Amino acid sequence: MATLQGFLPPSSPEGRAAVVRPPPWHYSGELLTVEYRTDPERVAALLPDGIELAPEDPGAVALIWADWQSCSDSFEELLDPVRAQYKECFAVVRCVFRGQLYSRCVYIWVDSDFALARGWHQGYPKKLGAIHVTRPVTVGRAGPRLQPGGRFGATLSAGGRRLAEARFTITGPSSSTGFVNALPMLHTRAWPSIEQGAPASMHELVTMKGRDVELGPAWTGTVELDLLASPTEELAALAPREMIAGYHRSVGVTFEGGTCITRIK
Amino acid sequence: MATLQGFLPPSSPEGRAAVVRPPPWHYSGELLTVEYRTDPERVAALLPDGIELAPEDPGAVALIWADWQSCSDSFEELLDPVRAQYKECFAVVRCVFRGQLYSRCVYIWVDSDFALARGWHQGYPKKLGAIHVTRPVTVGRAGPRLQPGGRFGATLSAGGRRLAEARFTITGPSSSTGFVNALPMLHTRAWPSIEQGAPASMHELVTMKGRDVELGPAWTGTVELDLLASPTEELAALAPREMIAGYHRSVGVTFEGGTCITRIK
Amino acid sequence: MATLQGFLPPSSPEGRAAVVRPPPWHYSGELLTVEYRTDPERVAALLPDGIELAPEDPGAVALIWADWQSCSDSFEELLDPVRAQYKECFAVVRCVFRGQLYSRCVYIWVDSDFALARGWHQGYPKKLGAIHVTRPVTVGRAGPRLQPGGRFGATLSAGGRRLAEARFTITGPSSSTGFVNALPMLHTRAWPSIEQGAPASMHELVTMKGRDVELGPAWTGTVELDLLASPTEELAALAPREMIAGYHRSVGVTFEGGTCITRIK
Amino acid sequence: MATLQGFLPPSSPEGRAAVVRPPPWHYSGELLTVEYRTDPERVAALLPDGIELAPEDPGAVALIWADWQSCSDSFEELLDPVRAQYKECFAVVRCVFRGQLYSRCVYIWVDSDFALARGWHQGYPKKLGAIHVTRPVTVGRAGPRLQPGGRFGATLSAGGRRLAEARFTITGPSSSTGFVNALPMLHTRAWPSIEQGAPASMHELVTMKGRDVELGPAWTGTVELDLLASPTEELAALAPREMIAGYHRSVGVTFEGGTCITRIK
């Protein structure tokens, strides 16, 4: 009798075919965070029943571009970097559930299948996109330095349509990278039944946060953001009313699992 | 209070952001099917506990290349074809569960996120890949005709590695496109818990088959197949011992849902 | 002493590494042609010195989506279809040089390197893009039939920005696929010197047309077209003032070479 | 009369449509260099008539992975990074022409059209490929540090086939990044006539080197390299007989032009 292996599909005799290896998953990357305020009604419209707006600054949004390497505990992905490197862009809001304040990812695009599958496991509602963000450099003229005056661009496209464009200029060092994506995540993990009209096969609220966080120096600065309409997206409904600030930082983190808060089914 | 919409993530106020619209899903495409026999032990090694080898011809495998258009009942995807077109390559075996004979997809690669997500919903263990298959033509010299002597190539790559290469030559018309992918599907829909070591959040055996099947003329012929090793795949373990035949056919089908047979959790 | 081979770079001992094999090149594909009129000044602005507007209907433009298979005289590309299949979208105008009326391609995007290099050889000013066009089908509900009422969408993106979107509805059969892309091509083949400020290393006007043209039935219909702005494109300057018609046809053709009319250098 | 602009095609009224802006081109990137010795006959087989093997160490080859940002003198590409970022992998040998020792790029793959076109201008025989190289990190566990023990992987694929895989482990600092890619380049810029059998329209030997070179600290280490066969490539003919060393360094450089040595036509 076969013993099939595979943390996520496909299952296979040796477990090498699975779209990702089992956690823990280690991440090292550079994050460009754009914080701003939108109409709080637009944030409320993205929260499921029973989850409420944050009482303070309820319209705050973080749109984050991340350029990652990640790997399993075998670290073998790092020597075949097509399995380790990916970029993502994601929109985070804050919310309250049972009296506790959380961060919540409402939209996210990535450019690899292993990151997409891993995200669905964690409750990140990932789709594929094309993500670009300027990298800081230390030599030459083709890139900003991590110092005041350094200018960065960040873009997101999906389906051949530009969805977001940001420009960030460093003004100085920072003690944080903002407050919107700084809380434990509250995510929905839901999967409909294969049967039309039947209750969902899975419907959970989960929370998670990373461990072994290692942070590089943070930089803050001014930021501009354009969100562009698309027939297959609703990101543009989160249009900025007021910019807060931009941030840049290198981040290392490990994810090992989370906690199921409620199982709705 | 918001009413979030989205058959699959992300949920959004208008339901336009979801990676796919709700079923029914309509498909029109061309399928190149390569049937062959591998060592039955290799098929057995891919079947979960409680699912058994087919009693007759247990080593039969179909590796199928499909070039699809698909859409929801709105049909709007057909006017923005980046949302409708995709290709896939998938390996199907037969198996027995509770005395009934089924087809089962053990590996599958697609080239779009909407098809990947839809597949996970149906229990197809999809990953991303690069899929190419020669198209028949009616004019000019750069393609085969759907007639005896017509030659087709089909290839599959993932992570920048070639995984499969097939060559098919039509010998004549056919009354079928083989027997391996001809039964109701028996698929596993499984999702681990976010909590390390906890029971799976979802673990179902489901069955499904299409409705409103419309078939073009079928062609059969001789076929060669090479499966190539990769550190992230186990497809090559299904190496051919003996080729059966190849088939080409245009297929139209609608998927509306399936039936949950067992809920293991 | 080595005898290096390669019609286009790179040169190599066996000639297998070249981005394309030598001509003749055979093509079989499906073309969706959108004909319309723009401001003739916009066409004039795209013609080099000495080349003039067509005297009749000088603002006529054809924007054409093509879904090709192509191959060399070895036909081996057809069995490894990643080397044979590509899509392109190109804008054609008419012009007069030395009293003769020509077609001229002013912008063109393709999705493979072999087609890009081949185009540069022919004077097509190719860049990479993402091109999609609905395919007609014969079974199922996920595509139009080649008959009155059949609806097609066609899109072009580059750099993650949508550049063009067309919708075409067949009204009936046609005896042609329009008049704008129907003449011998007049193309510029130019290459600057490696030395700053020096005269061009190559600057030719050439003409070419295919041979062994084989045509499927043509269909015509109504068409809508949107051209979208981009900081890296000027296609939108050719905005439609008046639509003429759309056309769909399967085309087979062979290219073997052209004629150099003038060598400016 | 129109004044068309465009350093490379397409020409357009405003010059925004050209696949690249005019030089100077500024580059900042990270280079992983793999130096080794192959059979000198294999190098000789890649040199055109009149160009000879280097007298010392004639079989030396450098296979280099580069992860670049580049821009024109407008620097605008850096704020829309899809126009600035690309990766390439290229094979360099040494050769002698008219008594002078040069470096010469014999094969090169890139992942963007602007870099491909720019390369053809410079005589780099570029094709498209998928290039990946591990990035050094400063935080977290998902990447090597630029220090002894840091391990990197680098891969090259084209047409869905893996062509090269390298693994590099830093042993210590270095005063250089090798000797093979350290000389002025000697490149061929050739373009066949549009007329079958006619002399080439362009056939030049050119030399070039960068200016304003700015170098980060160099690291050296041990390296392994596998070159894999493909029907469309001859890179594997340069199989390693003996590894020399690997190197990692950040490089900034500006390219403004070169010198035409001979015009064969």
Side-chain angles (χ1 to χ4, degrees), chain C residues 1 12 14-17 49 80 113 127-128 161 189 192 194-196 201 204 230 233-234 256 258 260, chain D residues 1 12 14 16-17 49 80 113 127-128 161 189 192 194-196 201 204 230 233-234 256 258 260:
Chain C
M1 202 56 76
S12 63
E14 300 178 26
R16 289 190 292 114
D49 277 5
D80 187 15
D113 59 355
K127 302 195 287 186
L128 291 182
R161 289 184 175 95
R189 288 173 20 120
I194 195 75
E195 301 189 3
Q196 292 268 65
S201 290
E204 302 174 347
S230 161
E233 307 292 346
E234 297 178 47
E256 195 148 18
C260 183
Chain D
M1 204 56 77
S12 63
E14 299 178 26
R16 289 190 290 113
D49 277 5
D80 187 15
D113 59 354
K127 300 195 289 186
L128 292 183
R161 290 183 174 96
R189 290 175 15 122
I194 194 76
E195 302 190 1
Q196 291 269 64
S201 290
E204 302 174 346
S230 161
E233 307 292 346
E234 297 178 48
E256 194 147 17
C260 183

Side-chain angles (χ1 to χ4, degrees), chain A residues 28 30 69 89:
Chain A
S28 294
E30 301 194 19
Q69 283 180 165
C89 178

Side-chain angles (χ1 to χ4, degrees), chain D residues 13-160:
Chain D
E14 299 178 26
R16 289 190 290 113
V19 65
V20 279
R21 302 291 161 97
W25 299 320
H26 308 293
Y27 301 76
S28 294
E30 300 194 20
L31 273 70
L32 177 63
T33 299
V34 176
E35 286 200 343
Y36 68 95
R37 292 183 182 95
T38 191
D39 179 347
E41 289 297 314
R42 304 302 180 92
V43 176
L46 280 162
L47 301 179
D49 277 5
I51 300 180
E52 287 161 29
L53 279 177
E56 293 183 33
D57 218 342
V61 180
L63 191 62
I64 302 165
W65 277 262
D67 190 355
W68 290 115
Q69 282 181 164
S70 69
C71 62
S72 69
D73 237 20
S74 77
F75 298 96
E76 69 185 73
E77 296 88 350
L78 297 178
L79 294 185
D80 187 15
V82 69
R83 291 191 251 166
Q85 296 176 343
Y86 69 103
K87 289 187 283 242
E88 61 190 3
C89 178
F90 56 110
V92 174
V93 299
R94 291 168 311 137
C95 61
V96 170
F97 181 67
R98 294 182 182 169
Q100 178 127 14
L101 193 61
Y102 291 97
S103 298
R104 180 173 177 90
C105 175
V106 291
Y107 298 122
I108 178 166
W109 296 261
V110 293
D111 59 8
S112 82
D113 59 354
F114 66 83
L116 189 146
R118 213 161 53 184
W120 283 42
H121 173 62
Q122 297 170 316
Y124 284 93
K126 292 191 177 183
K127 300 195 289 186
L128 292 183
I131 296 104
H132 290 85
V133 56
T134 312
R135 283 197 304 271
V137 303
T138 55
V139 293
R141 302 186 67 190
R145 267 57 175 182
L146 282 173
Q147 63 188 36
R151 297 200 71 200
F152 298 73
T155 63
L156 167 67
S157 299

